[in-house]
Every structure is written in structure tokens, then in C-alpha cells.
């Protein structure tokens, strides 16, 4: 008898009819003889509707009160899902985050889970119940209601799976699993049977919005077996687990791309010690996340920098750069939009030095110029013009052998240059 | 500096715009120098909408899950009201029932408050906050979320007022206060400045739906000063307090009527010991509330009984009576609808024996026959045909001197017959 955590997102329970189907799916699992803990998000547009209502009243509401407001969305979901399971003739108990023993930091809007005391869950399971936990929420030591921020329900599911020592944490979503790349632009994109935490983390950060990075980190840290699968089909899904257990020889697991990119360039920066620190401290203080940073060589005591930010942060970043000009003299600051960041991700990359070169070659063969490059142990990213992104992703998918079903690209000696 | 509990019902906060007005009203109170605890119900139709949604999923949902579902309505209200107060520049904190320390029996759907630990409220007040408590809800000793049933938010307000030793508990509603009778049918109906708990209790039970009887009982038991007033005007409202402090000599305070009445008659019941107990035990076990009971004298070893039930219970009551016929032999059971129960209520009545006679006289002068009579120390009720109810109420209002402004009817020696 396995202990399983099943997590359903808002669209899976978006209507009462869908909720009925989810209930059936949960009951099927129970009938297989498993003990089941379910984590559920707010139904469909509930959270957005609550946010809209709050804006009518106060365009800058206190974060504490937003947490009070938004946590009702998941509480409604768990109560209704429990009713749907009862309707099918099975005992179920819904619980809020605080009732589930989920403790968090004393931060509103994006608290981290500090501790879970699952006594109540175990008791309800022992009584034969399916236990349904409100995702996205917890309680501080002072009894204040908090939310976990974006991707919070994924994190709730993974954290509960770790706390109750679940055999597996299944994340139900509207796709069949993790794909080698976006199936909307590459028709040969294939669903991966398995992927490592680190690879998933890179893909999650790169805009494959299936699993939230925080949840993946939590799973990695607590060694929770994650499965990403569809709430609409019975397909197997993708298993996310420790790298050590991965297939041999796979170099590139997937190709990701991110259109939410702007490049800012600061030209002719005086090469004074501490200049870089000043620029990026100012950006960090303004709450602007900087992704890729590239510095040219120094010429005549001056250097050029480029970095990428999200499109939404572009204007503010330019303001910050303008504001520090007296402290950091430079000739000119410019920005560029209509860009895309294309990345190859794979845990096998670290021992295959030719992998990046093959990427550059595939891109340049298409006559596309690479504007920036960034690498990590399991990832290479290139910033290019947005327009040819589809051809580039398709070419990379072919270049790394991802078009052919089970054998992903295997790096050989000829690539070790 | 007074400590005041203000309670606002669902229609007072039915829209975000109304919520803004309520926030202003609360802030005005704070600016007078008072410490303010607010209790609020779910907005407008929220509770009904949630009930509808639950019915789509399960037409017979577990009471525990209904409590999980419905308590979100008040949680949404408190969060939004707190935001509205913040918008006006004043600190406020919303709390759920369990956060407010409201403990209840382990019963779902209609729990009674067993205890309140107001430490958290005092702390939030000491920090300068307006504290906004979700009405209608509490928590069991096991951490289960419960609701208090109908009139629950009134009860929350009164119980909190008792727990924090508030100077007054103000119940804001859509009427100016308690009236001598229904202003819709008697244009001279006047708002009462004050009324005793017992009188209010009779009026509340008689269908003057302004204050829930449970809340009035709680106030009486804990000696909480209650004020019923309008959330739309600045008028003074009606003070509900101990009888001892009432105006001298007032006999009849108000005239109430209740159209939700059916009369059931059981004719020719064998006069065996225990017959009455059998009939009314069977009704009680079916959850049917019986109001007035009248027994005729016994003739030829047989008696006739009549009693009233609410219209909704009429059919079930007839079924129950049919079902016990073998245990309680009788000749015939009949029912009558289109009735109304008219009542005069006044604490002074107990020492003025002519009061009831004056009522009968006023009714019979209109040619209306009285079908049943019931009396308590502070009330006389007559069941009559529904059709002449308006004339009867007007005539009684005049007969007891309630038409003239400040001097309600004062019983004199001539009435002591």
C-alpha cells in the first residue's frame, strides 16, 4: 500500500463538472489500495476574481489582508472536492493549510514553509479518509495566515510528500509531462520518461511553466519522487528524480526558450574598481532580476556591459542606470527588445565539451547571429533575435538527436573538442 | 475611551461601495476616541452562491464540509473590510473565528459558542488596530472549523462584547431600530428608544427578524448592552438592556405578527394518560417545533387538541400525526392555513391584569374571531384569520396608546380588572 500525494491545479478543478472528474480520479487511486493525500489550488479564476474585488476597494492592500482574502479560494476548493468525493461514496476530509500543520515564515504573500507537523493528516488517513489539503497556504508561529506565493500549491504538495514520507508526489496538470521542447513549435517534440531535478530546475526557470522551481528545489532537497502528468489522460507522465538514476549517456534532455527578455547595454563604462558591483547592487535594490551578464574586454580604460532583464523590468532598469550615471560614468545606455533566449539543458553536458559548439554551429548555419551566451554545468543559453526562434529550436532539437524517440543525443569522442 | 463592538450584516457590506461606507462609519467611531471591534457577515449573496455551488456537486454534503465552505464567505468580508479601512488611512486587522479565540461545541452547522479567549483581540487593539472578526464561525477544541447557524453573526458580536467587556454592542441593520410594530402596515409605528431583553426576545421569536433570539439570550445572560441601529442613517437606534432600567409604567411595548403559522387539530383523542406526551414527543423527534398548544375540556372520555407549527412543517406534522394513530387513537386530524399570530409584548404586562382583555376586546370589535390564545408573563398571542391582520394590528397599536409619540400606553387602575 503506497502513500501518494496528488496535486491538482486550478484549471483541473475549474468547474464543478471537472471537480467531479478529479474526484473520480482520486477515488480510483484509493481503490487501487493506496492512501491518498490531495493538494488542490483555487478553482479556475477564483483568485483573479478575488484580486479584482480587492482592487475595487484598495489599489494597494496590505499583504496580510491579501493573504486572508486569497486563502479562501483554496478553502472553497478543498471543501467542494471533499463533497465530490463523498458523493462517490468515499470518506474524505478537507483541511486548510494551518489545519494541515503547515508552518511558514512570518512573511505575507510569499512565505516559505519552515516546518510541517503532519499528525492530523496521519490521523485522518488512519481513519480511512482521503485527505484534501488547501494548497498555497500556511500559518506563522503567531497564528497568522500566510500564502506561499507563485507556484505555492506545487510547493505544498512536495513539502507534504516529504513530511508524510509519501512514495510519490504526482503533479496533475494540463500537459502529459515534460517535453524535449515546446510541442507547439516542434512536432517531433517527445515526452520525457524521466528527468533529473537539476534539469527540471533549469527548464522550470527557463519558462517551461509546468512545475514551479521552488517546488523542484524542495523535491531535490528532500529527495521526493515527483511525477508530472495530465489530469485529462491516463498517460504515464514524466518522473523527476535524482540524476544518478538517469539513463546513460543522455547529453541534452530538452530545448527551452523564453521570449520575456530585454537586453540592456551600457557602453564606455569607466574601468574603475567596484563599477560592476555598483551597477548590479542598484538594480538588485530596485528589485530587478538580472539574468545573463556579459562584459567585453577593456579598451582605452573603458568597458562595455550587456545584461538581460525581463521585459516588464526594462523601463525601470533603464531608469536605475540613468540614476547612477554620476557614480558610474559611462558613454551611453541602450536597450533592445524582440529577443529570445534559447537554451539546451542536460545533466550529461558537464562531461561533453563539444555540446556548446554544436549549438553555436546549428544556430549559425541558419544565418542567425548570437547576441549573448551564458553557460552553466547543465545548460547553455543563447540570446538571439526573436523572429527565427522556431527554426532555431527545431534545428537544435534535430542536432541533439531529440527527434528520434527513445535515444536522445549521445555525445561521442568526436564532440570532445 | 469606550470599547465598542459594531456588527454589520451581509446587506450592509453587499457591494464594495457599501463596504467603503461601512469602513467610513467604523473609522468615524475610532476618531471619537473609541476602541473598536467589528463583526461582519458574508457579503450579500455570497453564502447563497456557495450553497448553490455545493448543491451542484453533492445534494447532501457533509455538514463538516459545508462549514469549511461557508466560513470562507465571512473571511472574504473581513479581509476586504480591513482593506477598506486601510484605504482610509487607519490600521486594521482582520481575523477568522478561530483566530479570534472563539471556541464552540463539536457540532457542525449550528454550534454553540463555549468559550472565547480574546487575548489576540486585546493585543491587536492595544497596537491601535481596528479589529475585524469574521462572524458566524468558530473552532472546536480539536481544531475543526464550525459555524454557529442562523443569526450566528449577531451571536458572535454579543459573545465577543461579553468576552472583551465592551461598553456596548451595536448591531447595524437596514432598519432604524426596533419599532412598536411593523411600520409597513401601521404608519404611526414608532421607533422605541429602549426595550428589555425579555421583550426583545419575544419580539425576536415573533418574527421581528432584526435580532436573532440566540443573540438576545446571550446578551441577557451576560448583561451586554445592545443597540440596534441603521447602517444607512445616523439615527440613535434602540437600546436593549435589563428591564429594571426601563421607563416606568409602560405596559405594551410592541405589536408583532407572524404569518408563518399553520394550525393542526386532532379531534376526539382518547383521554388516556400520556397521550399528550406521545403526540408531542413524536413531533419533537421529527424536529418539528410546536408553538401554541390548546386542549379543550374532556367530553365522553375524548379530548380535542390544537397546536400551531410553521407552514413549512405542516405536511410533515400531519404525517407524524397519521403515523402514531395506532398508539394514540383519535377520530380525525385536520389542518388550517391562512392564519396569523398577532402578539402584544410588554414587560409591564405582568402587573396589569386587564391587558389581555383589552386585546380581545379590540379584536372582537373588528368582528374577527380569535381561534387560539397563548400567554406568557410578557406576551399575549392570538391566532386569527390572516386576512384582517392589518386592521387588527392597527387597532391594537391604537388601543395600547402606541400611536402617540413618547408616551406608550401606561396601565392605570381602571385596567386592573
Amino acid at each position: 500500500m503506497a502513500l501518494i500525494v496528488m496535486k491538482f491545479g486550478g484549471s483541473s478543478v475549474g468547474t464543478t463538472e471537472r471537480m467531479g472528474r478529479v474526484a473520480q480520479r482520486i477515488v480510483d487511486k484509493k481503490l487501487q489500495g493506496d492512501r491518498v493525500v490531495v493538494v488542490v489550488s483555487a478553482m479556475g479564476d477564483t483568485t483573479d476574481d478575488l484580486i479584482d474585488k480587492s482592487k475595487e476597494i484598495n489599489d494597494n492592500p496590505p499583504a496580510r489582508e491579501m493573504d486572508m482574502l486569497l486563502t479562501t479560494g483554496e478553502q472553497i476548493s478543498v471543501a467542494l472536492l471533499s463533497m465530490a468525493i463523498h458523493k462517490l461514496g468515499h470518506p474524505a476530509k478537507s483541511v486548510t493549510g494551518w489545519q494541515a500543520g503547515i508552518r511558514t515564515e512570518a512573511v505575507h504573500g510569499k512565505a516559505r514553509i519552515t516546518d510541517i507537523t503532519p499528525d492530523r493528516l496521519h490521523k485522518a488517513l488512519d481513519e480511512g479518509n482521503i485527505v484534501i489539503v488547501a494548497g498555497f497556504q500556511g500559518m506563522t508561529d503567531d497564528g497568522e495566515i500566510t500564502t506561499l506565493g507563485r507556484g505555492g500549491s506545487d510547493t505544498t504538495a512536495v513539502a507534504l510528500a516529504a513530511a508524510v514520507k509519501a512514495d510519490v508526489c504526482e503533479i496533475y496538470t494540463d500537459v502529459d509531462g515534460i517535453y524535449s521542447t515546446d510541442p507547439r513549435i516542434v512536432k517531433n517534440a517527445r515526452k520525457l520518461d524521466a528527468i533529473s531535478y537539476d534539469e527540471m530546475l533549469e527548464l522550470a526557470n527557463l519558462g517551461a511553466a509546468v512545475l514551479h522551481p521552488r517546488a523542484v528545489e524542495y523535491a531535490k532537497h528532500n529527495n521526493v519522487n515527483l511525477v508530472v502528468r495530465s489530469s485529462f489522460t491516463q498517460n504515464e507522465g514524466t518522473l523527476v528524480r535524482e540524476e544518478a538514476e538517469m539513463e546513460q549517456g543522455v547529453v541534452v534532455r530538452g530545448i527551452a526558450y523564453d521570449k520575456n527578455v530585454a537586453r540592456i547595454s551600457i557602453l564606455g563604462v569607466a574601468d574603475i574598481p567596484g563599477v560592476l558591483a555598483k551597477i548590479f547592487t542598484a538594480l538588485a535594490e530596485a528589485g530587478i532580476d538580472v539574468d545573463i551578464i556579459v562584459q567585453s574586454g577593456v579598451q582605452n580604460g573603458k568597458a562595455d556591459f550587456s545584461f538581460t532583464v525581463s521585459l516588464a523590468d526594462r523601463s525601470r532598469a533603464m531608469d536605475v542606470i540613468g540614476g547612477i550615471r554620476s557614480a558610474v560614468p559611462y558613454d551611453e545606455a541602450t536597450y533592445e527588445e524582440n529577443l529570445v533566449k534559447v537554451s539546451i539543458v542536460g545533466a550529461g553536458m558537464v562531461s561533453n565539451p563539444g555540446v556548446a559548439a554544436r549549438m553555436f554551429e546549428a544556430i549559425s548555419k541558419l544565418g542567425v547571429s548570437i547576441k549573448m551566451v551564458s553557460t552553466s554545468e547543465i545548460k547553455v543559453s543563447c540570446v538571439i533575435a526573436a523572429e527565427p526562434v522556431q527554426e532555431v529550436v527545431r534545428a537544435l532539437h534535430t542536432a541533439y538527436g531529440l527527434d528520434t524517440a527513445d535515444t536522445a543525443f549521445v555525445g561521442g569522442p568526436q564532440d570532445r573538442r
Side-chain angles (χ1 to χ4, degrees), chain A residues 38 204 217:
Chain A
V38 180
E217 274 179 46

Side-chain angles (χ1 to χ4, degrees), chain A residues 52-261:
Chain A
D52 288 348
K53 206 160 254 177
S54 75
K55 295 271 178 252
E56 283 174 34
I57 285 178
N58 188 333
D59 43 17
N60 185 25
R64 177 189 185 279
E65 303 301 333
M66 279 308 281
D67 281 357
M68 283 292 279
L69 182 68
L70 296 185
T71 48
T72 62
E74 279 75 19
Q75 190 172 330
I76 291 171
S77 281
V78 292
L80 292 176
L81 186 53
S82 175
M83 291 176 192
I85 291 170
H86 277 269
K87 177 78 178 174
L88 297 174
H90 289 265
K93 268 196 175 174
S94 67
V95 290
T96 62
W98 62 267
Q99 287 180 322
I102 299 173
R103 291 300 179 98
T104 75
E105 303 168 333
V107 175
H108 288 288
K110 51 177 183 183
R112 283 167 176 274
I113 294 174
T114 52
D115 186 40
I116 296 186
T117 312
D119 302 357
R120 193 186 188 108
L121 298 189
H122 283 303
K123 180 158 179 285
L125 287 169
D126 290 347
E127 290 164 1
N129 290 293
I130 294 165
V131 183
I132 304 159
V133 182
F136 177 67
Q137 59 183 250
M139 184 177 77
T140 69
D141 290 343
D142 287 339
E144 294 279 280
I145 293 172
T146 50
T147 61
L148 308 182
R150 292 199 58 184
S153 290
D154 287 350
T155 308
T156 301
V158 172
L160 281 176
V164 301
K165 302 191 186 357
D167 297 280
V168 63
C169 176
E170 299 186 334
I171 307 286
Y172 287 81
T173 176
D174 50 3
V175 295
D176 266 350
I178 309 300
Y179 275 75
S180 58
T181 193
D182 185 345
R184 288 171 302 183
I185 67 170
V186 178
K187 75 172 194 311
N188 289 329
R190 61 193 189 84
K191 199 200 69 192
L192 304 174
D193 293 334
I195 186 171
S196 73
Y197 295 124
D198 287 334
E199 288 170 329
M200 187 65 234
L201 216 43
E202 290 289 359
L203 290 172
N205 277 318
L206 290 169
V210 176
L211 257 185
H212 197 271
R214 262 168 84 173
V216 181
E217 274 179 46
Y218 207 108
K220 175 178 156 74
H221 191 252
N222 294 279
N223 212 8
V224 172
N225 285 324
L226 269 179
V227 171
V228 177
R229 61 190 300 183
S230 167
S231 52
F232 305 114
T233 73
Q234 296 292 333
N235 297 349
E236 279 292 326
T238 300
L239 175 61
V240 188
R241 59 180 174 187
E242 261 313 314
E243 192 176 352
E245 303 170 30
M246 304 295 294
E247 312 160 42
Q248 287 290 308
V250 173
V251 174
V252 169
R253 186 80 68 188
I255 319 279
Y257 64 94
D258 182 3
K259 292 180 169 175
N260 182 26
V261 176

Side-chain angles (χ1 to χ4, degrees), chain A residues 16-35:
Chain A
T16 50
E17 190 256 329
R18 282 187 177 189
M19 195 160 274
R21 269 188 285 161
V22 164
Q24 185 61 58
R25 183 130 202 180
I26 294 165
V27 166
D28 289 346
K29 188 74 76 177
K30 179 88 186 293
L31 291 174
Q32 288 171 20
D34 295 324
R35 292 153 69 93

